[in-house]
Structures are given as C-alpha cells and as structure tokens.
C-alpha cells in the first residue's frame, strides 16, 4: 500500500509514537521535502560562506527524531512543529560550536527579514535571537512558540493556529506583538522586561 495522504501520515505518526522506527522512515520519505524547504529557508537567511547545507540540516533533524524514539504527534502539522524545534536547536548548537558565542566580531548573523521584523529588518546574531526568544517565553510562552513555528518552522498562520489550538486571528496578533517585542530587545530600543 502506498502512503500518500494526511490519513496515512496520521497512521504513520501513531505507529512511530508506538516505537515503530520503520514508520518514521516512511514518514520522513513523505515529509523530507518539507524539511529541506524549511532548512533552505533558514540557510538562505544566513550570510554567504556558512558551512551548513539544507540536506545536512534536514538529516540532522531526522537523526534527532530517530534518537528521540516514538513521539506522539497528532498530524503532519504537529510533526513539522516538532521538526521546527529541532531545527532551531541544531542551528543554535551549530552557532555555539563554531565559537560564535561572543556577540559582535565573528558572531553568526541571521537576517531578520521582513517576515520577522518588517521593513526595518537587519542581520542579527543567531544566539541573540535565541536568547531573546527564551526571554520572551518567560513572559509569553505562546508568542515565543508562534515565532518558533513561523520563523524556524516555516509554518503558515493556519498551521500555527492548528498546532497551538488557537484562532488564526490570535496567531496574527501574537506574531505581530512578538515581532515588535523582539525587534525592540534585539535593537536595544526596549529593555528586557515584559512583553
């Protein structure tokens, strides 16, 4: 039987959740192109000369999923949300591993394009973005999750709403508030207190 549709993805997710690694392999063959798209999205934001490739990033996400064992996901969107978390962690770990922990100088820069910060976008330190997201999560975990899903996961407003079980209107509001707060913190125009 060929696995093609959302129902088949749900069946594979359930089987993987029960520990069936073959189900994960089948699942990955279906969603791997989407993982590569998400990886390319992130790598295109980085400065020329970075050392990660989209295939390597997608493969690393796959390996993390295999090591994690069966994880329960409700749908393709929830699975991609999980992958977005892993991709974020991989990128941050890579930046740390490349000795970019100090800001300035050789810090890894990621352009915060119009998708995240609007017309006043500029490159920022990936580790600074990660720290700002962690800080935002202390004040508003849902807004931080919206940024993670949309920016790192490449999910649409509707997909983000499905994962978080909120309305698309709420996602848009959270997205706009989070972008404004992150911009203020990352540019030094706002202190780190509250969102």
């Amino acid at each position: 039987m060929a696995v093609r549709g959302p129902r088949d993805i749900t069946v594979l997710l359930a089987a993987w959740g029960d520990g069936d690694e073959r189900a994960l392999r089948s699942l990955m063959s279906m969603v791997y192109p989407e993982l590569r798209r998400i990886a390319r999205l992130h790598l295109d934001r980085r400065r020329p000369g970075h050392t990660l490739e989209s295939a390597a990033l997608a493969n690393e996400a796959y390996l993390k999923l295999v090591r994690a064992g069966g994880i329960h996901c409700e749908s393709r969107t929830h699975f991609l949300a999980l992958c977005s978390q892993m991709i974020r962690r991989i990128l941050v770990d890579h930046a740390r591993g490349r000795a970019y922990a100090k800001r300035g100088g050789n810090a890894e820069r990621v352009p915060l394009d119009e998708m995240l910060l609007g017309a006043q976008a500029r490159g920022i330190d990936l580790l600074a973005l990660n720290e700002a997201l962690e800080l935002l999560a202390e004040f508003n975990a849902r807004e931080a999750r919206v940024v993670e899903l949309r920016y790192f996961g490449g999910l649409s407003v509707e997909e983000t709403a499905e994962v978080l079980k909120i309305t698309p209107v709420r996602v848009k509001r959270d997205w706009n508030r989070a972008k404004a707060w992150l911009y203020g913190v990352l540019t030094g125009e706002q202190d780190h207190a509250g969102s």
Side-chain angles (χ1 to χ4, degrees):
M1 170 178 103
V3 179
R4 299 274 181 233
R7 178 168 163 64
D8 295 326
I9 290 174
T10 304
V11 169
L12 288 172
L13 285 167
W16 177 49
D18 291 336
D20 183 351
E21 284 193 33
R22 289 177 305 177
L24 177 61
R25 285 191 293 275
S26 295
L27 180 64
M28 287 304 293
S29 71
M30 295 174 68
V31 297
Y32 188 77
E34 184 70 10
L35 268 181
R36 287 283 305 266
R37 182 193 68 77
I38 293 168
R40 273 192 305 276
L41 175 87
H42 289 291
L43 296 178
D44 287 348
R45 293 177 181 147
R46 297 176 78 179
R47 70 173 186 214
H50 59 78
T51 58
L52 277 178
E53 295 178 0
S54 62
L57 186 53
N59 290 339
E60 182 65 24
Y62 172 76
L63 290 174
K64 284 187 177 290
L65 289 167
V66 169
R67 285 185 215 123
I71 297 174
H72 293 280
C73 296
E74 297 173 15
S75 66
R76 173 189 167 277
T77 305
H78 283 104
F79 179 73
L80 291 175
L82 174 66
C83 291
S84 73
Q85 289 178 323
M86 290 186 175
I87 287 172
R88 175 183 172 196
R89 290 182 192 131
I90 292 165
L91 289 170
V92 168
D93 288 347
H94 184 336
R96 285 183 180 135
R98 300 267 308 157
Y100 292 124
K102 291 183 181 179
R103 293 211 177 98
N106 292 329
E108 183 72 27
R109 300 296 227 191
V110 179
L112 285 181
D113 57 15
E114 290 187 24
M115 181 178 165
L116 184 56
L117 294 180
Q120 300 174 339
R122 64 187 182 105
I124 58 109
D125 178 345
L126 177 62
L127 295 177
L129 173 59
N130 186 61
E131 288 173 18
L133 276 175
E134 289 174 358
L135 187 60
L136 176 60
E138 291 176 18
F139 298 105
N140 193 318
R142 189 181 65 217
E143 285 181 10
R145 189 77 171 116
V146 166
V147 172
E148 182 175 62
L149 293 171
R150 302 241 26 243
Y151 184 73
F152 287 96
L155 272 61
S156 69
V157 168
E158 292 74 20
E159 290 169 326
T160 302
E162 179 185 334
V163 169
L164 298 178
K165 297 181 181 2
I166 59 177
T167 68
V169 170
R170 180 78 260 169
V171 169
K172 289 176 187 176
R173 284 185 192 136
D174 286 351
W175 177 237
N176 289 330
R177 282 177 43 101
K179 287 189 299 184
W181 188 87
L182 286 169
Y183 182 79
V185 169
L186 292 170
T187 61
E189 293 179 13
Q190 175 176 321
D191 65 15
H192 293 23
S195 89

